[in-house]
Structures are given as structure tokens and as C-alpha cells.
Amino acid sequence: MTLLAIDNLTVRYGRLTALRGISLKIAEGEILFVTGPNGAGKSTLLNAIAGVVPPISGSITMDGAEVTGAPPESIARRRFSLVPEGRNVFGALSIEENLKVGAGMRTDRQKVADDLKTVYREFPMLAERRHAPAGMLSGGQQQMLVIGRALMTSPRLMAIDEPSLGLAPMIIDQVYEILERLRAQRKLTLLIVEQSSTRAMMTGGRMILMRGGRIVLEGEAGDMVKDERLKQAYFGFG
Ligand code: ATP
């Protein structure tokens, strides 16, 4: 089942065109990596899907319903959760308070309590420090917290902008293991921006490569690594 469909999406910031006619589909339970050099439009794509930046043309459909131009709250209500780049924790609030912020829009209390248990099970480090201020966590721990907070919204689709940025390889492996497990267990759909394609190749799944606001290459991550065109598309040779 197609969870998200984007057709011919164009986004501008004033005179700068950041997305030029992007089309893609994501099936439920799928993992799609978005990769590409600086300024390719990767973050803009996530922000457009989340309703943070309005497109000037094209369409976005979630679960068959057209949501183009809808505000972020209405996208969030469809259980789409965006984890933006940079770890925006509420430093003065405790870890548990940060997690509860994620569940702020929910009324299914029992399920919220269950989800909190799941987050603590997946990230035991958060459970151990649940009453400590989030500002005291290291970069890797804050990344886990923002992912945990996004999980507290009970998302069907989670879009994460550069989860690996600045993290030690071991922590990155841990984060991906958890995401993969949640995808398998809950049919969580993942849309992940990573500037480097290495992680996509290690994890598997589908990958799109963007450059200059366009999708220039698309396929199974494992196949793309063997494709000489990847290098050419990434660096713009040929
Ligand atoms: P990076 O990895 O550097 O974040 P990216 O692929 O995510 O790159 P975007 O951040 O989406 O790319 O940027 C696409 C283009 O839009 C760039 O030229 C960028 O300078 C520009 N841009 C991004 N956000 C804004 C904004 N809020 N206002 C104006 N221009 C912007």
C-alpha cells in the first residue's frame, strides 16, 4: 500500500528553486534513503512533506488523501513525524518530560504509557536518566532522545534528517538497529536523509539520489553502489 505519494513537487525560497519537479512513492513499512550533496534539496523535501514549507506546484498525497499545502499540525495528525536536523531537545526539561511532549497531541493514554515503555526498552540509557535534564546528554544520546520523542507521537511514517551527523559509528549502528526493529515490528515507514550513501548501502532498502533539486538516480541501495553512475550523479561528472 502506498503511504506517501509525491507528484511533480516544486518548492521555491524566493527566487531560488530548491525542488524541481520531484516525484516519488513510499510504501507502508518501507525504508527510503534520500542522499546527495549539500544543497541538493534533501531537507527541503522533508520539510515540504511535513508541511513546513509550502510547495508552489505539484501534489503530496498521504494514504490517498491530498495534503498539499496543509499545515504541519494537520500532517502530524496523520501520524507523520519529522525529526529535523540538529538535536532540538528541551534542555531544561527532563528526558521523560521531553518524551511526553512527543505524545502531547494524543488522547490514548494507555497506549502512550505502552509506547513510553517501548522507548525505554529500546533506549535503556534514556530510562536510566529519565529524571535528568535533557541538556546534560551527549550528542548521541540527544539523537536517541529526539528519535524517542518522535516515536511517542506513534508515527506511521517517520522522516529523519541526517540521524548520523556527528555520531560515533557504534552509536549510528545502534540507532539503525533500533529503527530497523521498529520497522519490522510495527510496519513503521522510514524516510531518512543521509548525506553519505554508505549507510543506505549497509542497511538496504531503496535510495534516491538528489542533486540540484532533482532526483538524478533511484534504485535499490545495494545495486546503486555497484553503479558507476552513482559517483557521476553525486559529483556531477559525465
Ligand atoms: P544540506 O545537506 O546542506 O542540508 P540539503 O540537500 O538538505 O543540503 P536544502 O537544505 O534542502 O539542501 O537546501 C536546498 C537549497 O535551498 C540550498 O540552495 C539552500 O541554500 C536553500 N535553502 C534551504 N533552506 C532555505 C531557506 N529557509 N531560505 C532560503 N533558501 C533556503
Side-chain angles (χ1 to χ4, degrees):
M1 193 194 73
T2 301
L3 190 59
L4 178 75
I6 294 177
D7 187 45
N8 209 9
L9 198 71
T10 297
V11 170
R12 285 204 193 121
Y13 298 109
R15 280 156 65 188
L16 185 135
T17 305
L19 297 183
R20 300 168 184 270
I22 297 281
S23 298
L24 60 87
K25 277 189 178 149
I26 307 178
E28 187 166 31
E30 189 182 20
I31 179 163
L32 177 68
F33 281 95
V34 183
T35 170
N38 273 330
K42 306 178 298 293
S43 302
T44 301
L45 176 62
L46 296 200
N47 287 329
I49 296 168
V52 179
V53 290
I56 62 150
S57 64
S59 77
I60 305 174
T61 311
M62 287 179 185
D63 262 337
E66 162 113 32
V67 295
T68 321
E73 316 80 72
S74 116
I75 303 293
R77 244 177 268 125
R78 293 181 179 275
R79 297 171 60 200
F80 173 92
S81 182
L82 173 67
V83 181
E85 196 180 321
R87 287 138 207 153
N88 304 306
V89 302
F90 301 105
L93 298 186
S94 72
I95 287 168
E96 187 148 309
E97 285 163 341
N98 268 271
L99 291 172
K100 286 183 171 164
V101 168
M105 277 169 51
R106 295 174 60 185
T107 50
D108 50 344
R109 288 222 182 148
Q110 186 52 50
K111 184 121 195 324
V112 169
D114 292 346
D115 285 348
L116 188 63
K117 276 190 207 140
T118 305
V119 169
Y120 282 150
R121 190 178 63 237
E122 294 292 346
F123 300 102
M125 171 280 306
L126 297 180
E128 284 159 26
R129 297 174 179 70
R130 66 178 79 186
H131 300 301
M136 287 179 67
L137 298 175
S138 70
Q141 292 168 338
Q142 290 191 6
Q143 183 64 283
M144 292 185 187
L145 179 56
V146 289
I147 291 174
R149 189 172 65 201
L151 287 170
M152 290 303 294
T153 66
S154 184
R156 298 178 62 200
L157 192 148
M158 205 157 120
I160 317 179
D161 203 349
E162 308 233 20
S164 305
L165 203 69
L167 300 190
M170 224 174 70
I171 307 284
I172 300 174
D173 288 346
Q174 262 180 32
V175 167
Y176 272 95
E177 260 171 46
I178 292 165
L179 291 174
E180 267 298 296
R181 194 156 51 238
L182 291 164
R183 188 169 78 87
Q185 284 169 0
R186 308 186 159 203
K187 268 191 158 180
L188 180 67
T189 308
L190 292 167
L191 175 60
I192 302 183
V193 168
E194 286 285 10
Q195 190 157 335
S196 139
S197 48
T198 318
R199 180 51 55 174
M201 286 153 191
M202 284 166 67
T203 309
R206 214 150 52 87
M207 178 164 102
I208 61 174
L209 183 106
M210 290 180 66
R211 193 158 63 89
R214 291 193 172 87
I215 296 176
V216 290
L217 211 58
E218 172 165 20
E220 288 302 315
D223 295 340
M224 277 168 74
V225 65
K226 298 176 212 137
D227 196 328
E228 199 42 38
R229 285 179 307 169
L230 176 66
K231 245 183 267 164
Q232 291 178 355
Y234 203 102
F235 297 109
F237 318 137

